[in-house]
Amino acid sequence: MKYALYPGCVMPTEQYAYELSIREVLPKLEVELVDIKGFSCCGEPLKSVNQMLTLSLSARNLAIAEKQGLDVYSPCPMCHFSLRECKHILDNNKDMMDRINSMLASEDLSYKGTGELMHTVDLLHDVIGVEEIKKHVKNPLKDLKLATHYGCHLIRPSEIGRPVNSENPQKMEAVLVALGAKPLFYPEKLDCCGAPILANLPESSLTKTGQKLQAIQDQDFDAMVDVCPWCHKMFDSRQIKAGETVAAKLEIPVLYLTQLLGLAFGIKKEKLGLDLNISPVNKLNLG
Amino acid sequence: MSITDLTSMGESQTQLRKEINERLSKLQAEISDYCYQCAKCTSGCEAHKLLELEPHKIVALTKRGLIDEMINSDVIWTCMSCFKCRERCPQKVAPVEILFALKNMAVATGKQIPGNYTAMLQSVLSTGLLQEIKSVSTKDNKTKTRSDLGLPEISKPTDPAKLMGTLSKIAVEKV
């Protein structure tokens, strides 16, 4: 299995724990990640400003990967959404495709729509498979009570094709069970992290984060698991601040799914960037 | 090409405004046929409880053509783009897409872009990425860069000026 790694912006400029754990774990599962020069922002964070800008940026990145003849692995749900929506629009609208391609021509690029697009969750669950993952588990995550968070952009809208079910996503749960952990349902599971309005309404944005974390803490979960650098930035990096907005002392360990995979596979925690998580991950005594 | 080209009220925005207007008219036509104000969108809206966004009212106002009133209001900027309204609408109306079109229109008609959007836009136009590469702190307060952590060089546009030339065409395409 060979994929072009499309890193996006947030992961490779600050969320290094996700990138480190991806680069450690996926090769162990026979996934070859190819680094390509020249990618840019996917455009999604600027969709409110100018939707055409978003569309062009996404098409540009897809075109770069197509040029190398590779399918794309996008670990960020925001990027994954934007690239998928771009595919959805351009593959169904020849005029728009021609228009975008006339713009991409100045960089000698052209979008054709030949490549596939994957995210961490479907790569692990659908392509690699739970049985294969089980074979690599050395240190089962004994009955760790986990709350999963998929991120809105990963689950909706199903109309354009998303990797998981929109109302009852279970793929992360299946992977976690394979690791020996105990993912459980909680009513706030589909709630937003608040990140999309961080740019203009930071206070309200953090309140959303705080409300979800508080609900998880009140339900006695051991940790929260996510697969999105934006969500992680809120739940992990800004956890203390988010606590202030809901007047609660939040102490919920927040980890990337790929970090938990690495720990279960017996990879040293330094290699998985565990010392970069701001939330109290040490209290789990893993690795 | 600078950020003013994308945000100013100058004549250069005429084409862009025309396009967004067409998008809104198309959305308006779809709504008029289908939305029956059941408010399922509002019942699930992530921004509703906290920021009083009511997507079904946005749809109703669009139906009545009150576009100017909405693009002058801050409420359109409270949408968290969680896409629940688009996913759950029994009539396949997508309030979130109306909100995106309204926000685009607000920007194209020279309304102030709120918060950090301007900085983000500036960064993408000048470097191709949303933000600068940051160094981070470990639990024991050591500062680490990408290379300290053994990560390869970041993937970014090799010729940002060329990229910017392409991107600025979008906003000021037919100048």
Side-chain angles (χ1 to χ4, degrees), chain A residues 198-265:
Chain A
L198 189 64
N200 56 318
L201 298 160
E203 188 81 8
S204 308
S205 171
L206 281 166
T207 309
K208 288 298 286 185
T209 314
Q211 286 172 344
K212 182 151 185 167
L213 283 168
Q214 190 173 24
I216 289 174
Q217 183 157 293
D218 289 349
Q219 288 167 69
D220 287 327
F221 279 99
D222 294 322
M224 179 187 202
V225 194
D226 55 22
V227 280
C228 171
W230 287 83
C231 301
H232 193 84
K233 185 171 148 170
M234 301 302 288
F235 292 126
D236 177 80
S237 317
R238 289 181 169 76
Q239 185 168 129
I240 295 169
K241 274 205 159 155
E244 285 166 9
T245 65
V246 291
K249 192 167 190 285
L250 299 173
E251 288 175 314
I252 287 284
V254 183
L255 300 101
Y256 283 113
L257 178 65
T258 39
Q259 287 184 303
L260 278 176
L261 275 163
L263 290 167
F265 291 178

Side-chain angles (χ1 to χ4, degrees), chain A residues 7-16 19-20 23 35-41 44-53 56-57 60 81 85 88 99 102-104 106-108 152-153 155-160 166-167 190-192 194 196-201 204-205 207-208 211 230 233 274-282, chain B residues 6-7 16 19 23 45-47 50-51 77-88 92 97 100-101 103-105 107-108 113-118 120-121 124-125 128-140 144-146 149-159 162-163 165-171 173-174:
Chain A
C9 296
V10 178
M11 184 182 83
T13 56
E14 63 168 278
Q15 288 298 321
Y16 303 132
E19 189 172 346
L20 283 166
R23 291 185 189 274
D35 287 296
I36 299 180
K37 283 200 169 75
F39 282 133
S40 58
C41 172
E44 185 61 21
L46 296 173
K47 200 169 164 189
S48 294
V49 176
N50 187 331
Q51 218 166 336
M52 275 302 285
L53 187 75
S56 320
L57 279 163
R60 178 186 179 276
F81 170 88
E85 190 178 44
H88 184 75
R99 199 177 145 194
S102 71
M103 287 190 246
L104 297 183
S106 67
E107 284 196 278
D108 202 19
C152 297
H153 287 75
I155 45 187
R156 288 177 294 266
S158 46
E159 193 186 330
I160 63 164
S166 64
E167 298 293 347
L190 298 184
D191 285 6
C192 172
I197 53 165
L198 189 64
N200 56 318
L201 298 160
S204 308
S205 171
T207 309
K208 288 298 286 185
Q211 286 172 344
W230 287 83
K233 185 171 148 170
L274 224 68
D275 53 347
L276 300 176
N277 295 43
I278 310 286
S279 60
V281 288
N282 286 346
Chain B
L6 284 168
T7 57
L16 178 64
E19 282 186 19
R23 218 157 84 209
C45 178
E46 289 281 352
L50 202 59
L51 294 155
W77 293 92
T78 61
C79 170
M80 299 190 190
S81 62
C82 72
F83 295 95
K84 280 186 182 166
C85 57
R86 179 168 167 189
E87 180 70 31
R88 292 174 179 172
K92 296 206 180 303
E97 301 304 332
F100 275 126
K103 284 181 275 183
N104 283 189
M105 191 51 136
V107 175
I113 314 179
N116 270 340
Y117 283 110
T118 318
M120 279 159 34
L121 181 59
V124 170
L125 288 179
L129 297 179
L130 198 63
Q131 58 186 20
E132 298 276 319
I133 304 169
K134 296 181 183 176
S135 32
V136 289
S137 296
T138 60
K139 281 225 161 49
D140 46 358
K144 300 267 183 187
T145 62
R146 273 186 71 84
L149 295 163
L151 291 167
E153 207 177 315
I154 197 166
S155 178
K156 60 180 180 192
T158 36
D159 188 352
K162 214 174 193 179
L163 169 68
T166 313
L167 294 182
S168 43
K169 262 189 233 156
I170 297 151
E173 213 188 349
K174 312 243 160 57

